[in-house]
């Protein structure tokens, strides 16, 4: 059974700092990996999608990498801002014959202090 | 920009009552998902539809939960009777038919059972 772990569970940084969020998964047989942002009491906003054949994806100040063989992904946020404060969720799409579900980690709660 | 719509956004109900949630996916998305997110955890899949057919409902508590997508477009998730442990965020997502496609999430319905 695929399991996803995110470290750290919570992170507090001063504005302007570069930071890294970590995600690990137990089974390397995946279609893709997605990073999401969730504001308190809200739905999920997709940030980046990395297909299993890709090594990284970039969008603005965000860069996500994928090392499928070691079961790891990182989300790098450059020059953090108070507006980046949210919960960041990592999810993998396991290779299965049927279904298309995402398996999520519990998330990293990020607070960027001004 | 097309979005997944959900209603209601918030629902408070008493234990043993019936409750229903509605989801309208992005136009053209054949695949629809219902996830449940307990506070402090990542979302977990309850049921997945491909058009009007159920693809995966292995984690759906079928003694009290039901889901339908009669015309292959919008969907309803019902709980009867509601229990205290059902308090959670219920998220709907949709994707194109391709198995590696990105999933787009709605704003969610926050359910509180008293």
């Amino acid at each position: 059974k695929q399991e996803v772990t995110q470290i750290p569970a919570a992170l507090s940084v001063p504005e302007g700092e570069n930071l890294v969020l970590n995600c690990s998964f137990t089974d390397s047989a995946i279609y893709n990996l997605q990073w999401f942002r969730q504001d308190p009491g809200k739905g999920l906003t997709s940030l980046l999608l990395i297909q299993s054949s890709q090594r990284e994806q970039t969008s603005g100040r965000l860069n996500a990498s994928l090392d499928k063989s070691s079961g790891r992904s990182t989300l790098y946020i450059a020059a953090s801002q108070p507006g980046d404060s949210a919960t960041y969720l990592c999810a993998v799409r396991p290779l299965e014959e049927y279904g298309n579900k995402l398996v999520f980690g519990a998330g990293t709660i990020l607070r960027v202090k001004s | 920009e097309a979005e997944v719509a959900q209603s209601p956004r918030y629902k408070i109900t008493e234990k043993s009552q019936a409750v229903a949630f509605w989801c309208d996916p992005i136009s053209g998305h054949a695949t629809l998902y219902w996830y449940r997110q307990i506070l402090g955890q990542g979302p977990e899949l309850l049921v997945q539809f491909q058009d009007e057919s159920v693809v995966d409902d292995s984690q759906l508590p079928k003694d009290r939960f039901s889901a339908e997508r009669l015309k292959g477009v919008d969907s309803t998730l019902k709980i009867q009777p509601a229990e205290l442990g059902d308090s959670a965020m219920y998220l709907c997502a949709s994707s194109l038919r391709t198995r590696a496609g990105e999933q787009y999430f709605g704003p969610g319905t926050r359910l509180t059972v008293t």
Side-chain angles (χ1 to χ4, degrees), chain B residues 94-107:
Chain B
S94 69
S95 69
L96 290 170
R97 190 179 299 275
T98 56
R99 297 182 70 191
E102 186 170 357
Q103 294 187 22
Y104 297 86
F105 282 77

Side-chain angles (χ1 to χ4, degrees), chain A residues 27-98:
Chain A
D27 189 341
S28 62
I30 63 171
Y31 265 119
N32 55 42
L33 182 147
Q34 256 181 289
W35 282 94
F36 293 89
R37 168 184 172 138
Q38 187 174 33
D39 293 293
K42 306 294 184 182
L44 277 62
T45 300
S46 179
L47 298 174
L48 291 164
L49 171 70
I50 311 177
Q51 300 295 349
S52 61
S53 59
Q54 298 175 319
R55 296 286 294 183
E56 65 178 334
Q57 283 285 345
T58 298
S59 176
R61 295 183 293 110
L62 304 179
N63 176 276
S65 67
L66 174 63
D67 184 344
K68 194 176 67 169
S69 61
S70 66
R72 295 178 186 175
S73 177
T74 62
L75 179 66
Y76 175 84
I77 302 177
S80 59
Q81 303 171 358
D84 294 330
S85 298
T87 297
Y88 291 80
L89 294 159
C90 166
V92 299
R93 158 74 169 96
L95 278 173
E96 295 175 351
E97 185 173 358
Y98 299 107

